[in-house]
PDB file of all heavy atoms in Angstrom:
ATOM      1  N   LYS A  43      49.587 108.979  99.617  1.00 88.00           N
ATOM      2  CA  LYS A  43      50.088 108.698  98.268  1.00 88.00           C
ATOM      3  C   LYS A  43      50.636 109.938  97.566  1.00 88.00           C
ATOM      4  O   LYS A  43      51.585 109.859  96.787  1.00 88.00           O
ATOM      5  CB  LYS A  43      48.971 108.100  97.399  1.00 88.00           C
ATOM      6  CG  LYS A  43      48.574 106.682  97.786  1.00 88.00           C
ATOM      7  CD  LYS A  43      47.432 106.203  96.892  1.00 88.00           C
ATOM      8  CE  LYS A  43      46.950 104.818  97.321  1.00 88.00           C
ATOM      9  NZ  LYS A  43      45.776 104.384  96.529  1.00 88.00           N
ATOM     10  N   ASN A  44      50.022 111.092  97.803  1.00 89.00           N
ATOM     11  CA  ASN A  44      50.340 112.303  97.027  1.00 89.00           C
ATOM     12  C   ASN A  44      50.999 113.375  97.889  1.00 89.00           C
ATOM     13  O   ASN A  44      50.958 113.315  99.114  1.00 89.00           O
ATOM     14  CB  ASN A  44      49.055 112.871  96.398  1.00 89.00           C
ATOM     15  CG  ASN A  44      48.345 111.846  95.530  1.00 89.00           C
ATOM     16  OD1 ASN A  44      48.971 111.168  94.730  1.00 89.00           O
ATOM     17  ND2 ASN A  44      47.038 111.732  95.701  1.00 89.00           N
ATOM     18  N   ASP A  45      51.562 114.368  97.213  1.00 87.00           N
ATOM     19  CA  ASP A  45      52.172 115.508  97.897  1.00 87.00           C
ATOM     20  C   ASP A  45      51.247 116.716  97.775  1.00 87.00           C
ATOM     21  O   ASP A  45      51.095 117.291  96.686  1.00 87.00           O
ATOM     22  CB  ASP A  45      53.541 115.837  97.283  1.00 87.00           C
ATOM     23  CG  ASP A  45      54.577 114.781  97.609  1.00 87.00           C
ATOM     24  OD1 ASP A  45      54.519 114.246  98.723  1.00 87.00           O
ATOM     25  OD2 ASP A  45      55.423 114.485  96.747  1.00 87.00           O
ATOM     26  N   TYR A  46      50.613 117.070  98.884  1.00 91.00           N
ATOM     27  CA  TYR A  46      49.752 118.248  98.914  1.00 91.00           C
ATOM     28  C   TYR A  46      50.446 119.358  99.695  1.00 91.00           C
ATOM     29  O   TYR A  46      51.218 119.102 100.617  1.00 91.00           O
ATOM     30  CB  TYR A  46      48.409 117.919  99.575  1.00 91.00           C
ATOM     31  CG  TYR A  46      47.582 116.909  98.802  1.00 91.00           C
ATOM     32  CD1 TYR A  46      47.485 115.587  99.243  1.00 91.00           C
ATOM     33  CD2 TYR A  46      46.915 117.277  97.648  1.00 91.00           C
ATOM     34  CE1 TYR A  46      46.737 114.651  98.540  1.00 91.00           C
ATOM     35  CE2 TYR A  46      46.159 116.345  96.935  1.00 91.00           C
ATOM     36  CZ  TYR A  46      46.076 115.037  97.378  1.00 91.00           C
ATOM     37  OH  TYR A  46      45.345 114.122  96.672  1.00 91.00           O
ATOM     38  N   ASP A  47      50.110 120.600  99.309  1.00 91.00           N
ATOM     39  CA  ASP A  47      50.661 121.756 100.024  1.00 91.00           C
ATOM     40  C   ASP A  47      49.736 122.219 101.148  1.00 91.00           C
ATOM     41  O   ASP A  47      50.165 122.945 102.043  1.00 91.00           O
ATOM     42  CB  ASP A  47      50.894 122.908  99.040  1.00 91.00           C
ATOM     43  CG  ASP A  47      51.897 122.537  97.960  1.00 91.00           C
ATOM     44  OD1 ASP A  47      53.069 122.339  98.311  1.00 91.00           O
ATOM     45  OD2 ASP A  47      51.492 122.424  96.787  1.00 91.00           O
ATOM     46  N   LEU A  48      48.454 121.789 101.091  1.00 92.00           N
ATOM     47  CA  LEU A  48      47.474 122.247 102.075  1.00 92.00           C
ATOM     48  C   LEU A  48      46.265 121.314 102.050  1.00 92.00           C
ATOM     49  O   LEU A  48      45.905 120.781 100.997  1.00 92.00           O
ATOM     50  CB  LEU A  48      47.028 123.688 101.748  1.00 92.00           C
ATOM     51  CG  LEU A  48      45.913 124.299 102.597  1.00 92.00           C
ATOM     52  CD1 LEU A  48      46.346 124.464 104.040  1.00 92.00           C
ATOM     53  CD2 LEU A  48      45.477 125.637 102.004  1.00 92.00           C
ATOM     54  N   VAL A  49      45.635 121.123 103.229  1.00 93.00           N
ATOM     55  CA  VAL A  49      44.395 120.348 103.322  1.00 93.00           C
ATOM     56  C   VAL A  49      43.326 121.207 103.985  1.00 93.00           C
ATOM     57  O   VAL A  49      43.563 121.813 105.040  1.00 93.00           O
ATOM     58  CB  VAL A  49      44.598 119.044 104.139  1.00 93.00           C
ATOM     59  CG1 VAL A  49      43.262 118.323 104.310  1.00 93.00           C
ATOM     60  CG2 VAL A  49      45.610 118.129 103.461  1.00 93.00           C
ATOM     61  N   LEU A  50      42.155 121.284 103.341  1.00 93.00           N
ATOM     62  CA  LEU A  50      40.974 121.897 103.948  1.00 93.00           C
ATOM     63  C   LEU A  50      40.075 120.749 104.390  1.00 93.00           C
ATOM     64  O   LEU A  50      39.632 119.944 103.553  1.00 93.00           O
ATOM     65  CB  LEU A  50      40.235 122.781 102.940  1.00 93.00           C
ATOM     66  CG  LEU A  50      40.942 124.066 102.508  1.00 93.00           C
ATOM     67  CD1 LEU A  50      40.226 124.685 101.323  1.00 93.00           C
ATOM     68  CD2 LEU A  50      40.995 125.056 103.653  1.00 93.00           C
ATOM     69  N   CYS A  51      39.781 120.637 105.686  1.00 92.00           N
ATOM     70  CA  CYS A  51      39.088 119.458 106.206  1.00 92.00           C
ATOM     71  C   CYS A  51      37.897 119.844 107.080  1.00 92.00           C
ATOM     72  O   CYS A  51      38.034 120.643 108.015  1.00 92.00           O
ATOM     73  CB  CYS A  51      40.071 118.590 106.994  1.00 92.00           C
ATOM     74  SG  CYS A  51      39.379 117.042 107.599  1.00 92.00           S
ATOM     75  N   ASP A  52      36.729 119.254 106.762  1.00 90.00           N
ATOM     76  CA  ASP A  52      35.528 119.448 107.587  1.00 90.00           C
ATOM     77  C   ASP A  52      35.719 118.704 108.913  1.00 90.00           C
ATOM     78  O   ASP A  52      36.438 117.705 108.982  1.00 90.00           O
ATOM     79  CB  ASP A  52      34.313 118.897 106.835  1.00 90.00           C
ATOM     80  CG  ASP A  52      33.012 119.247 107.531  1.00 90.00           C
ATOM     81  OD1 ASP A  52      33.024 120.164 108.382  1.00 90.00           O
ATOM     82  OD2 ASP A  52      31.997 118.595 107.232  1.00 90.00           O
ATOM     83  N   ILE A  53      35.072 119.184 109.957  1.00 87.00           N
ATOM     84  CA  ILE A  53      35.206 118.528 111.265  1.00 87.00           C
ATOM     85  C   ILE A  53      34.137 117.451 111.452  1.00 87.00           C
ATOM     86  O   ILE A  53      34.442 116.321 111.839  1.00 87.00           O
ATOM     87  CB  ILE A  53      35.152 119.564 112.404  1.00 87.00           C
ATOM     88  CG1 ILE A  53      36.444 120.395 112.399  1.00 87.00           C
ATOM     89  CG2 ILE A  53      34.976 118.870 113.756  1.00 87.00           C
ATOM     90  CD1 ILE A  53      36.559 121.408 113.506  1.00 87.00           C
ATOM     91  N   LYS A  54      32.875 117.761 111.159  1.00 86.00           N
ATOM     92  CA  LYS A  54      31.796 116.796 111.359  1.00 86.00           C
ATOM     93  C   LYS A  54      31.555 116.022 110.059  1.00 86.00           C
ATOM     94  O   LYS A  54      30.964 116.527 109.108  1.00 86.00           O
ATOM     95  CB  LYS A  54      30.512 117.517 111.781  1.00 86.00           C
ATOM     96  CG  LYS A  54      30.626 118.264 113.098  1.00 86.00           C
ATOM     97  CD  LYS A  54      30.873 117.324 114.272  1.00 86.00           C
ATOM     98  CE  LYS A  54      30.939 118.090 115.584  1.00 86.00           C
ATOM     99  NZ  LYS A  54      31.274 117.207 116.719  1.00 86.00           N
ATOM    100  N   MET A  55      32.034 114.772 110.013  1.00 86.00           N
ATOM    101  CA  MET A  55      31.823 113.906 108.855  1.00 86.00           C
ATOM    102  C   MET A  55      31.371 112.529 109.327  1.00 86.00           C
ATOM    103  O   MET A  55      31.606 112.149 110.478  1.00 86.00           O
ATOM    104  CB  MET A  55      33.108 113.794 108.028  1.00 86.00           C
ATOM    105  CG  MET A  55      33.563 115.093 107.376  1.00 86.00           C
ATOM    106  SD  MET A  55      34.976 114.896 106.277  1.00 86.00           S
ATOM    107  CE  MET A  55      36.281 114.546 107.468  1.00 86.00           C
ATOM    108  N   ASN A  56      30.754 111.779 108.423  1.00 81.00           N
ATOM    109  CA  ASN A  56      30.140 110.504 108.801  1.00 81.00           C
ATOM    110  C   ASN A  56      31.167 109.408 109.120  1.00 81.00           C
ATOM    111  O   ASN A  56      31.194 108.868 110.222  1.00 81.00           O
ATOM    112  CB  ASN A  56      29.192 110.025 107.684  1.00 81.00           C
ATOM    113  CG  ASN A  56      27.978 110.926 107.565  1.00 81.00           C
ATOM    114  OD1 ASN A  56      27.526 111.467 108.569  1.00 81.00           O
ATOM    115  ND2 ASN A  56      27.461 111.089 106.362  1.00 81.00           N
ATOM    116  N   ARG A  57      32.008 109.051 108.151  1.00 82.00           N
ATOM    117  CA  ARG A  57      32.860 107.876 108.312  1.00 82.00           C
ATOM    118  C   ARG A  57      34.001 108.104 109.296  1.00 82.00           C
ATOM    119  O   ARG A  57      34.448 107.182 109.971  1.00 82.00           O
ATOM    120  CB  ARG A  57      33.440 107.441 106.958  1.00 82.00           C
ATOM    121  CG  ARG A  57      32.400 106.859 106.029  1.00 82.00           C
ATOM    122  CD  ARG A  57      32.991 106.453 104.709  1.00 82.00           C
ATOM    123  NE  ARG A  57      34.014 105.407 104.867  1.00 82.00           N
ATOM    124  CZ  ARG A  57      34.759 104.952 103.865  1.00 82.00           C
ATOM    125  NH1 ARG A  57      34.598 105.458 102.646  1.00 82.00           N
ATOM    126  NH2 ARG A  57      35.649 104.012 104.077  1.00 82.00           N
ATOM    127  N   MET A  58      34.492 109.316 109.364  1.00 87.00           N
ATOM    128  CA  MET A  58      35.637 109.596 110.247  1.00 87.00           C
ATOM    129  C   MET A  58      35.605 111.059 110.647  1.00 87.00           C
ATOM    130  O   MET A  58      35.459 111.945 109.790  1.00 87.00           O
ATOM    131  CB  MET A  58      36.947 109.261 109.516  1.00 87.00           C
ATOM    132  CG  MET A  58      38.183 109.284 110.398  1.00 87.00           C
ATOM    133  SD  MET A  58      39.646 108.774 109.451  1.00 87.00           S
ATOM    134  CE  MET A  58      40.830 108.528 110.779  1.00 87.00           C
ATOM    135  N   ASP A  59      35.751 111.331 111.912  1.00 86.00           N
ATOM    136  CA  ASP A  59      35.736 112.698 112.423  1.00 86.00           C
ATOM    137  C   ASP A  59      36.936 113.480 111.894  1.00 86.00           C
ATOM    138  O   ASP A  59      38.040 112.945 111.761  1.00 86.00           O
ATOM    139  CB  ASP A  59      35.766 112.665 113.956  1.00 86.00           C
ATOM    140  CG  ASP A  59      35.669 114.056 114.536  1.00 86.00           C
ATOM    141  OD1 ASP A  59      34.571 114.630 114.531  1.00 86.00           O
ATOM    142  OD2 ASP A  59      36.717 114.574 114.977  1.00 86.00           O
ATOM    143  N   GLY A  60      36.704 114.787 111.589  1.00 88.00           N
ATOM    144  CA  GLY A  60      37.770 115.616 111.022  1.00 88.00           C
ATOM    145  C   GLY A  60      38.988 115.759 111.921  1.00 88.00           C
ATOM    146  O   GLY A  60      40.118 115.852 111.440  1.00 88.00           O
ATOM    147  N   LEU A  61      38.772 115.786 113.239  1.00 89.00           N
ATOM    148  CA  LEU A  61      39.897 115.904 114.162  1.00 89.00           C
ATOM    149  C   LEU A  61      40.755 114.633 114.152  1.00 89.00           C
ATOM    150  O   LEU A  61      41.966 114.693 114.345  1.00 89.00           O
ATOM    151  CB  LEU A  61      39.397 116.208 115.577  1.00 89.00           C
ATOM    152  CG  LEU A  61      38.728 117.589 115.759  1.00 89.00           C
ATOM    153  CD1 LEU A  61      38.236 117.753 117.189  1.00 89.00           C
ATOM    154  CD2 LEU A  61      39.687 118.715 115.391  1.00 89.00           C
ATOM    155  N   GLU A  62      40.115 113.482 113.910  1.00 90.00           N
ATOM    156  CA  GLU A  62      40.883 112.243 113.750  1.00 90.00           C
ATOM    157  C   GLU A  62      41.715 112.297 112.474  1.00 90.00           C
ATOM    158  O   GLU A  62      42.871 111.854 112.442  1.00 90.00           O
ATOM    159  CB  GLU A  62      39.937 111.037 113.690  1.00 90.00           C
ATOM    160  CG  GLU A  62      39.243 110.690 114.991  1.00 90.00           C
ATOM    161  CD  GLU A  62      38.360 109.473 114.813  1.00 90.00           C
ATOM    162  OE1 GLU A  62      38.895 108.375 114.578  1.00 90.00           O
ATOM    163  OE2 GLU A  62      37.127 109.628 114.888  1.00 90.00           O
ATOM    164  N   VAL A  63      41.091 112.816 111.395  1.00 91.00           N
ATOM    165  CA  VAL A  63      41.822 112.976 110.120  1.00 91.00           C
ATOM    166  C   VAL A  63      43.030 113.881 110.335  1.00 91.00           C
ATOM    167  O   VAL A  63      44.127 113.606 109.840  1.00 91.00           O
ATOM    168  CB  VAL A  63      40.903 113.565 109.026  1.00 91.00           C
ATOM    169  CG1 VAL A  63      41.695 113.803 107.737  1.00 91.00           C
ATOM    170  CG2 VAL A  63      39.733 112.643 108.759  1.00 91.00           C
TER     171      VAL A  63
END
Side-chain angles (χ1 to χ4, degrees):
K43 290 178 184 176
N44 304 314
D45 289 324
Y46 295 104
D47 298 294
L48 175 65
V49 175
L50 291 169
C51 184
D52 189 17
I53 289 183
K54 298 296 182 184
M55 295 186 290
N56 292 328
R57 290 180 62 185
M58 190 176 192
D59 183 75
L61 293 178
E62 290 181 67
V63 177

